Amino acid sequence: MPPFRLHPSLAAETLFLRDLPLCQVVLMNDQRFPWLILVPRREEVTEIFELSPQDQHQLMDEVVLVSNLVKQVFNAQKINIGALGNIVSQLHIHVVGRQSTDSLWPRPVWGRGPGVAYGQDQFMVLKQGIQGFFDNQDHQV
């Protein structure tokens, strides 16, 4: 089996956070929104139904975990979850925290203006907070 490779478009727009049992978790490099993306480490998979039944269940567990992370760490009012793949076909799941006061509410965040990149120090503090969330989980994913 070839090694997992994140699609170049996703790699260019995101910052690596960690690997879970199935997915690589990356942060969209746009501080306007708390926006994490889960990418199953399975080659040539473009749709959820193409995953094995075990991987489908694992994916849902990881989506729930990351949704809770976004809700707690970022104090999100609403969580948006989507798997579009119209531009990047590699299967990936967006988990976006929203606030009714954010600049695009209630519109979608995709393709809406230039992003605001995280600074290195800002990203490292955020990554530590996210790691702390994972470290404090009572259950394993």
Side-chain angles (χ1 to χ4, degrees), residues 126-141:
L126 183 57
K127 188 173 181 177
Q128 287 175 345
I130 289 170
Q131 185 59 44
F133 172 87
F134 285 114
D135 291 345
N136 289 324
Q137 293 305 296
D138 294 331
H139 62 283
Q140 294 291 325
V141 177

Side-chain angles (χ1 to χ4, degrees), residues 95-106:
V95 179
V96 184
R98 301 296 304 271
Q99 299 286 348
S100 60
T101 56
D102 74 44
S103 63
L104 292 176
W105 183 269

Side-chain angles (χ1 to χ4, degrees), residues 39-81:
V39 186
R41 292 186 310 278
R42 300 292 186 259
E43 293 299 316
E44 311 268 336
V45 174
T46 61
E47 306 294 343
I48 293 171
F49 62 80
E50 295 173 342
L51 293 169
S52 70
Q54 297 90 340
D55 282 351
Q56 290 175 25
H57 292 287
Q58 184 65 38
L59 177 62
M60 185 54 63
D61 288 346
E62 292 180 14
V63 166
V64 168
L65 178 69
V66 169
S67 297
N68 279 320
L69 180 157
V70 171
K71 181 85 170 172
Q72 292 178 29
V73 172
F74 296 95
N75 197 29
Q77 180 180 355
K78 177 72 177 97
I79 305 296
N80 294 167
I81 300 170

